[in-house]
Structure formats: structure tokens, C-alpha cells
Amino acid sequence: MATSIVVVGVGGQGVLTLARWIGEASLSEGYDVRIAEVHGMSQRGGSVEVHVRFGKVVYAPIVEEGGADYVVALEAVEALRAFRYLKPGGVLVVNKRVIQPPGRWISEEELLGSLQRSGVKTYIVPAADVARELGSVMYENAVMLGFLSQLLGLPMPPSLDDRNREAFRRGARLPV
Amino acid sequence: MRLLLLGNEAIAYGALASGLAVATAYPGTPSTEIVETLVEFRDRFVHWASNEKSAFELAYGAAVAGARSLTAMKHVGLNVAADPLHSAAYTGVEGGFVIVTADDPWMHSSQNEQDTRWYGVQAYVPVLEPSDPAEAYKYVKLAFDLSEKLRHPVILRSVTRVSHVRAPVEVEPPAPPKWGRFTRDVKRFNLVPANARELRKALVEKWEKIAELSADFITVEGSGDVFIVTTGVAYNYVKEALSRLRVDATVVKLGMSVPVPRSLRNLVGGEAVVVEEGDPVVEVQLRSLGVATRGKLDGYFPRYGELDTGKTALGLSKALGLPYSPPQPPKPPIEPPPRPPSLCPGCPHMATFYILRLATAGLSPVWSGDIGCYSLGINLGQQDLITHMGSSVGLGAGIAVAGKHFVVATVGDSTFYHAVLPQLVDVASRSIPLLIVVMDNAYTAMTGGQPSPSRAIPVEKITEALGLPTFVIDPVEVKKSVEVVKKAVEIVKSGRPAVVVSRRPCALVAVRKARRAGLQLPRYQVDPDRCTGCGLCYNLLKCSAIYRRPDGKAYVDPALCVGCGVCAEVCPFNAFKPEGRREAWLELWQQA
Ligand code: SF4
Ligand code: SF4
């Protein structure tokens, strides 16, 4: 059986890169893998959604609604949007970061609180904070990847540069 | 070498391994990365053309002369190239000629859904349909060989979930390019009626031969009396749906979906369930062979959107009368507010729209839009129609002719060269009154920044040559530009066309260059004591780095601001304050 992951966030956050890293790590473990990217209308600021599936043999490139083992959100509003992909017993992994959608201001507490009370197993990961400690919010996807490696049992992908390696390690040490 | 490749990259590598010499395209999602990948290979002729017809003709001509050539486009792009496509089937080619089209079911980045395979049926061009990146790689090579063997063009039809899927692909090194030399054959290449009539007869005969060859592309898996005929990406959903439904079936996968192999009729014994992505193209062909089908025509599978494992399992269960309960998607604890695609922070189009709004105040213009980043002006209420490449000036002129509207046609530089040039001739020769605004950001930005011809050939040179009064502005100079645009508006009000060229390169490209040059961008912040919460910046300018705080005042996300300074020009209360200096940045930006 394949593991199905939906990775979401906002354009410019490195959603595609995170998904690609998960794919690379799976490949290095000898799994078959499919990563379905959608290159949408805008380069920055819109919702981005990438599907990753890995396992012994994988056919379908996309995850259906109600079919994801994991939803990984680099941004909390997008976690709400991808919620519908979760299968019963599926796990939500959210970066502790809110990028306000245009014309609305949602408080972080309200948002994260509602996710935690939703009845779905939810991990809130302080990836943005850790990344800022490392010098730039640019590293938040690598921190998330490190955290995920604990859940997915995947190694560090080979292509990371030094800064991202460090970010990965910090994520991999965050308590689960 | 096993690489994790995007389907489009796999197509490019497959073409290289086949000895590709000439590759052409006009960028369009989801097809862009094919030629983007090939551009790196300097020993071949690789070209971003002004539109798909031009791209098609370059590759077709090269193939006529015996070179191995490829042209790539999205589904709607093939409409632009439809004219030469139909002729190409009559003349055939000498070197392998592969036309790659990437369809976009459910319109992730397109104005309509369209199934390219109908063009195969209509133009008598065979269609190969890979199911994933590894197969895409393999099929390009097969397509080149087939094309050369038949001396006939071949379409390779991809879809979003093949082109934009990454998967492991085994890649061989590139083969040396195969160039050609034109051999005169007047009867074959001159499609005057006397010749074309002979070629038409030959084409219909050839088609029967191709329909036999199509059987070489069949693969059969599984066993059982239930026959499922599938092709392309749908095959993957069938595989997973069958294991979910636990049913034994014989899966017949067609590598060539147009024309369907005639022998299929004997193979499936006169009855089959058909699963395909897009329109019922295989299904219609099968029915015409006398095979009873269950598929999209009877509503077992939807005729819009993409398939997935769930929809496929549901459709199969209905068609086969099996019990199945689909997974129930959970509801989020809060309804997520929409996050529509928006112009990048600092995008010059944002300022141009603002300038246009001020300069046309009181005229309530019809905003005739076009395909490109500026179509996001829809969020600003400044795009009333967007239908296809070139619709801005084309439909805009029609609206101006129809009645007393003040029409503003907004078009990007790339689209200008793609589809607007002939229309300008009509506008100029009949002096149709509309304001044509060319938003020249020097790139085809929406697809990631391919070069546009506007650098080599400035837009104003062309419009002036046509006798159209033309004004050039820099949109970051908001106040100055408004005055200039007002002059153009006066000309249009007097009943004549006028052109404004709003020139500043794509902000994304410029920011990338600044980073590489180590230049620190200025950033703007709102002084909350000065901000009155009037909302001009976040409601009318709508820079996506500016938020409305709960108290109504503006707030700039420092991580997003690129320091264009337009907000500072717009705010009547002087609330925006820069950190850092703007001159060097604007200078570098203009050169980007
Ligand atoms: S335009 Fe100026 S005053 Fe008005 S909301 Fe924006 S910052 Fe505040
Ligand atoms: S300077 Fe102002 S308008 Fe330009 S990106 Fe920053 S916030 Fe937006």
C-alpha cells in the first residue's frame, strides 16, 4: 500500500521543494514515488497543493478527498483548506504560521485551537520559529521535513545544502 | 541514470535521446518545462516562438527537410496551430515530427477544458498517450520512430497529471542531433487542389494502415470476462480502483488512443468498460467499431474535471454493478477563507491598473482583458472579459464598434506579439476608438519568465509604424503616469485609438536578480499614527504585501514587501515610510 501525503502552503513558501524532498527521500529508500504538482495562476501568494505518494508500487499520482494518510501544511489557513483530504485516522502536521488571506484577519490562537480540537490527530510544529532562529524563514520547509522524517521514517534526502541540513536536524529533534 | 523527473522533463530527455535537432514552443501551463529543459542544450535549435502556429511551422518545416523535430504546447495552443496541423497530415514529413500537447482537465491554469485527441481524429494524426513520466520518456522515442517510419506527424498527448508529476525515470544520454536537407517534391508539398485531392485519398488509406499499427501499442493485464479499456493517466486509477474493488478484470491499455486498433473488437468480445481522462474519445471510436461500451457516454464517469481513484472506483462499481462506498471527506473546523491567486507584491501591473483607474475616472470603461498575469486584475474589478489569447484587443474593438463604450484593452507584451499584431492592423485601418494598454514586463511571466520579443522589438516602434498615437510610462511613477495616460484617454474620447506602453520588468525576475547581486531591497512600513485607515492601499491598490489590520489600519508584511514604493505614492496621508534607499534598486530593476 502507498502512503499518501498532501503538502500545502502559500506560493513562495517552498511547498514544491518540500514535496520534492519527501519524494527524494522515498526514492533513496527504494520506494516507487509520484509527486503531483500544480503550477497555478500566480507565482506568489496563492494556495499551493502538492500530492506525494510513495510505496512499493504506486500508480495513481493524486490523492482523492478522504484518502490522505497525512496532510502537511506549511501554513495554517491552508491546513483548513486541505482538511478534506484526510482519511479516517489521518494525521495533520501544521507549521505554526499564519499568512493572512486577503480581506480577513484570523487569529493564530483561534486557528490552531480549532485544528487541535477537531478530533484529528494534529501536530503543531514551530518550524517558522526554528527557521527564524537559523536566520531566515526560508528554512521552515527543511525544519518541517526534519520533523516529518520522524513520522514517516524517511532519511534526510541527499540534495540538501548545509543550511538546510542544519534545519532538517533541528526539525528531527523536535519532540513528537 | 535513474532520476526523479517531471513528466515534461522526461519528454525532453526522451527527445534528446532520440536525436532531436529542432524544438519549438510557446510557453503555456502545463507544457512549459519541455522546452525549458531543452533550452540548455546548445547543440540543437531550441526556440521560444511568438505563438504556437509559428512554433509549429518551424518544427514542421524542419521535419519536412528531414530533421527530427518537436513542438510543444498546451491544449488551447494547438487551436492556434490547427491550420498547419491539418496540412501536415497531407504532406507528411521526412524526419520524425512529434507534436506534444499537454491538456489541462479541470483547468488548473486554463480558460477551458479541451481534449487534444479530437484533433487527432479530425486531422488524421495518430495520438500516443503515456500514463506517467517513465512512459512519457519511452513514448517520445516511439513517437519519433513511428513518425519517421510512417513519414507522418505524431501527437503525444499529455495531461496535467503526467506533465506535472514527478516520478523515477531511467534516462539515457542524449544522442547527436539529426539534421536534414530539403528534397524538392512539388506534388507532395504544394497543397493546391489537384495535389491535395490525391494526397487526401492517400491519407485515408494511410489511416487504415496506422489503425493496424495501433495494435502494437496494446498491453493486456489481468484476466476475467470483464474487459476494461483504458489509456493514459486513467490506467493508473483503474489499477488502484480494481484492487480496491477486488474484482478480476482484463485491463486493456491503449498506448495509441487515436486511431483505436481495429483488432480491439475481437479482443474484448464486443463489450467493454472504457475509462479515459477527458472526453469519450476512445469510447466513441469503439462504438463506431460496433463494441458496446459503458463509460462517459452513459454517465458512469464524469465528463468534466479530472479522474482520481475514488471517481474511477465509483464509476466502475456502477458500470459493473458492484457494491462500493466511497470515502467520506471530513469537514474542516472553520471554513477556510479564500486565498485567490494575486499579483506578486511590487508587480508593475498592480500600479498600472491603479493608474488606469485614476486616468479613466468617471468613464466607467469596459475592461477587455487577456491571458497572462494581468488577468488577475479580475480581483481589482478591471477585467470584464478574458476569453483567449488576444481577446483584449479583438473583443475590445468589437465592443467599441457595437456601442458607445469607453474600452480599455489590457494586454501583456508576450500576448501582444502572440495574438494582437494582426488585430492592430484592423484597429488602425478603421481607426476604432479604444485605449490599448500594453503591460510590457519583458517576460512571459505567468509561465515562469520565458523571454519575450519585446526587448528586441519595442512595442512602440510597431504601434507608431501603424500610425497609432503611443505613450510610454513607467508605472512606479504613479502620479506622472496618470497625467500621461489622461492624454491618451482624450484621444480615445475624440473617437480614435491610442496606445499606452507601461514598461517595467516582472518584479519576480528583478527580485531574483537583486538577490544574486547582493542588493538589499528597501522595505516600506506603515506609520500607524499617520494611517487613517482609508483603505486606498489595501482596497484599491491591493498590494498583496499590505494587510488590513482588525482596527482598519494598514500593515505591511516585511517578508513580502519588495520595496517598489508605489504604496507611498498612493497613500494620501504619507503613512508609508521606506527603510533603505530605492534609487539603486529601481535602476537594477529596470535592467532586469
Ligand atoms: S492608504 Fe495610507 S491612510 Fe489609507 S489605509 Fe493605506 S496607509 Fe492607511
Ligand atoms: S513597497 Fe508598498 S506597494 Fe511595493 S511591495 Fe512593498 S508594500 Fe507593496
Side-chain angles (χ1 to χ4, degrees):
Chain A
M1 269 313 286
T3 302
S4 297
I5 309 173
V6 174
V7 187
V8 296
V10 176
Q13 277 196 294
V15 180
L16 281 184
T17 310
L18 174 56
R20 221 171 281 169
W21 282 334
I22 299 172
E24 253 183 58
S26 325
L27 194 66
S28 75
E29 286 292 273
Y31 289 118
D32 191 10
V33 71
R34 297 287 180 278
I35 308 169
E37 323 177 340
V38 161
H39 300 220
M41 292 272 293
S42 67
Q43 303 282 341
R44 286 278 175 280
S47 309
V48 181
E49 178 188 299
V50 188
H51 298 196
V52 184
R53 303 187 72 232
F54 68 90
K56 242 175 102 92
V57 201
V58 182
Y59 288 102
I62 54 173
V63 181
E64 70 204 282
E65 294 189 0
D69 300 286
Y70 296 89
V71 164
V72 177
L74 279 173
E75 194 281 329
V77 178
E78 295 311 310
L80 292 175
R81 210 181 310 286
F83 208 80
R84 65 186 199 281
Y85 282 112
L86 285 164
K87 68 154 75 148
V91 175
L92 179 64
V93 188
V94 201
N95 181 13
K96 190 162 168 287
R97 174 147 183 229
V98 180
I99 298 175
Q100 298 294 341
R104 252 211 53 205
W105 191 283
I106 310 186
S107 84
E108 191 174 297
E109 299 73 54
E110 181 195 350
L111 193 47
L112 296 176
S114 79
L115 289 171
Q116 257 163 340
R117 288 187 301 273
S118 66
V120 164
K121 173 87 186 134
T122 301
Y123 295 98
I124 292 171
V125 187
D129 298 338
V130 174
R132 268 189 219 105
E133 278 170 37
L134 290 169
S136 165
V137 75
M138 267 177 64
Y139 301 114
E140 65 185 344
N141 57 355
V143 179
M144 282 294 271
L145 182 71
F147 183 85
L148 282 172
S149 69
Q150 305 183 65
L151 301 180
L152 300 174
L154 290 174
M156 189 191 301
S159 75
L160 299 196
D161 63 18
D162 287 348
R163 298 305 297 273
N164 281 317
R165 278 168 182 277
E166 178 54 24
F168 179 97
R169 287 195 199 98
R170 292 286 299 271
R173 284 201 300 269
L174 288 171
V176 174
Chain B
M1 212 174 24
R2 207 163 122 95
L3 302 173
L4 199 52
L5 289 187
L6 215 51
N8 282 345
E9 293 167 346
I11 290 170
Y13 283 110
L16 289 167
S18 311
L20 171 93
V22 173
T24 61
Y26 181 77
T29 313
S31 72
T32 311
E33 297 81 4
I34 300 166
V35 161
E36 193 114 291
T37 306
L38 293 170
V39 163
E40 311 295 321
F41 292 81
R42 299 295 161 92
D43 57 336
R44 338 250 153 169
F45 181 88
V46 182
H47 181 63
W48 287 117
S50 59
N51 70 19
E52 293 83 358
K53 179 172 184 284
S54 181
F56 189 104
E57 286 159 344
L58 266 166
Y60 172 26
V64 159
R68 282 205 158 187
S69 68
L70 172 151
T71 185
M73 56 203 69
K74 66 186 294 181
H75 56 314
V76 287
L78 191 57
N79 299 329
V80 179
D83 205 358
L85 169 72
H86 288 73
S87 292
Y90 278 57
T91 65
V93 287
E94 280 300 294
F97 179 33
V98 178
I99 303 145
V100 188
T101 58
D103 290 359
D104 187 18
W106 211 223
M107 301 159 280
H108 296 287
S109 188
S110 305
Q111 65 269 41
N112 59 36
E113 279 188 22
Q114 216 173 277
D115 195 320
T116 287
R117 298 177 300 170
W118 293 124
Y119 269 122
V121 175
Q122 144 112 354
Y124 291 77
V125 176
V127 180
L128 299 189
E129 224 183 320
S131 62
D132 62 15
E135 206 167 66
Y137 179 86
K138 200 172 97 191
Y139 277 22
V140 185
K141 298 171 73 182
L142 291 175
F144 272 113
D145 291 343
L146 184 71
S147 170
E148 218 158 85
K149 177 168 143 199
L150 296 168
R151 299 161 95 204
H152 200 74
V154 171
I155 293 174
L156 186 81
R157 182 228 189 187
S158 180
V159 293
T160 302
R161 305 307 185 169
V162 173
S163 276
H164 282 172
V165 164
R166 244 169 238 283
V169 181
E170 193 64 46
V171 173
E172 300 150 54
K178 188 171 171 276
W179 303 98
R181 205 181 162 75
F182 180 68
T183 314
R184 205 166 263 109
D185 185 344
V186 176
K187 278 201 173 348
R188 180 174 170 200
F189 293 115
N190 283 335
L191 293 181
V192 293
N195 296 341
R197 283 180 196 126
E198 289 310 309
L199 291 168
R200 172 75 187 181
K201 284 190 235 157
L203 178 59
V204 173
E205 276 164 35
K206 201 180 198 179
W207 195 239
E208 286 314 308
K209 202 172 122 206
I210 296 173
E212 274 166 39
L213 277 177
S214 179
D216 299 348
F217 292 83
I218 300 179
T219 42
V220 181
E221 289 175 26
S223 58
D225 313 336
V226 173
F227 283 89
I228 298 173
V229 175
T230 186
T231 179
V233 74
Y235 161 78
N236 302 294
Y237 304 127
V238 167
K239 288 293 277 188
E240 295 212 359
L242 284 178
S243 74
R244 185 181 294 184
L245 295 171
R246 295 175 205 289
V247 52
D248 287 330
T250 306
V251 178
V252 180
K253 176 172 171 296
L254 305 181
M256 188 189 282
S257 51
V258 176
V260 296
R262 304 290 190 248
S263 57
L264 210 54
R265 190 159 183 240
N266 312 327
L267 184 67
V268 303
E271 204 185 0
V273 181
V274 182
V275 190
E276 56 192 316
E277 183 91 302
D279 286 331
V281 177
V282 166
E283 204 181 344
V284 166
Q285 292 180 84
L286 278 185
R287 283 208 183 170
S288 78
L289 288 182
V291 177
T293 64
R294 269 167 281 167
K296 296 199 175 206
L297 290 172
D298 320 279
Y300 289 111
F301 302 94
R303 282 186 77 165
Y304 51 81
E306 300 183 282
L307 290 173
D308 61 21
T309 303
K311 285 182 205 164
T312 305
L314 186 65
L316 284 175
S317 70
K318 282 194 281 185
L320 301 172
L322 301 167
Y324 174 69
S325 49
Q328 286 306 315
K331 282 224 176 336
I334 305 176
E335 235 357 89
R339 197 191 294 279
S342 58
L343 294 170
C344 301
C347 173
H349 300 329
M350 161 182 91
T352 307
F353 278 123
Y354 191 82
I355 291 160
L356 291 174
R357 203 192 265 230
L358 294 194
T360 60
L363 292 170
S364 62
V366 174
W367 301 97
S368 187
D370 220 307
I371 309 288
C373 289
Y374 41 87
S375 63
L376 297 170
I378 200 165
N379 299 332
L380 301 160
Q382 285 171 275
Q383 296 272 289
D384 295 324
L385 322 89
I386 309 167
T387 58
H388 60 277
M389 292 287 279
S391 63
S392 55
V393 176
L395 299 192
I399 290 167
V401 164
K404 294 255 162 282
H405 295 291
F406 187 92
V407 180
V408 183
T410 50
V411 58
D413 51 315
S414 186
T415 306
F416 177 85
Y417 289 101
H418 178 287
V420 167
L421 289 181
Q423 300 170 354
L424 281 183
V425 173
D426 296 310
V427 168
S429 66
R430 289 297 297 260
S431 196
I432 299 172
L434 79 163
L435 180 61
I436 298 170
V437 180
V438 185
M439 298 179 163
D440 178 3
N441 66 358
Y443 293 92
T444 312
M446 189 174 246
T447 46
Q450 290 73 32
S452 139
S454 57
R455 276 293 167 76
I457 313 157
V459 170
E460 60 270 25
K461 289 255 156 50
I462 292 169
T463 54
E464 278 163 3
L466 289 166
L468 296 165
T470 303
F471 304 85
V472 181
I473 60 169
D474 178 352
V476 301
E477 294 172 346
V478 176
K479 290 178 190 135
K480 197 168 139 197
S481 299
V482 171
E483 293 315 310
V484 176
V485 176
K486 277 185 178 160
K487 289 186 203 153
V489 167
E490 284 310 313
I491 295 176
V492 178
K493 273 163 72 182
S494 79
R496 288 181 296 137
V499 178
V500 170
V501 181
S502 182
R503 177 167 296 135
R504 183 157 277 274
C506 169
L508 256 194
V509 177
V511 167
R512 242 179 267 144
K513 294 209 165 149
R515 293 240 163 83
R516 244 176 270 138
L519 184 93
Q520 190 71 37
L521 305 185
R523 296 199 193 293
Y524 283 70
Q525 278 198 343
V526 179
D527 177 349
D529 294 333
R530 283 179 173 265
C531 174
T532 64
C534 74
L536 267 187
C537 57
Y538 52 75
N539 286 332
L540 290 182
L541 178 66
K542 284 201 176 171
C543 169
S544 47
I546 306 177
Y547 296 114
R548 178 188 186 279
R549 297 198 315 193
D551 63 1
K553 296 195 181 192
Y555 167 78
V556 175
D557 184 336
L560 298 178
C561 173
V562 302
C564 69
V566 168
C567 50
E569 277 218 47
V570 163
C571 174
F573 303 99
N574 231 341
F576 285 92
K577 290 282 170 281
E579 286 170 16
R581 294 179 62 80
R582 182 165 168 244
E583 289 73 27
W585 161 223
L586 286 189
E587 181 68 20
L588 181 141
W589 185 349
Q590 196 62 278
Q591 307 311 319

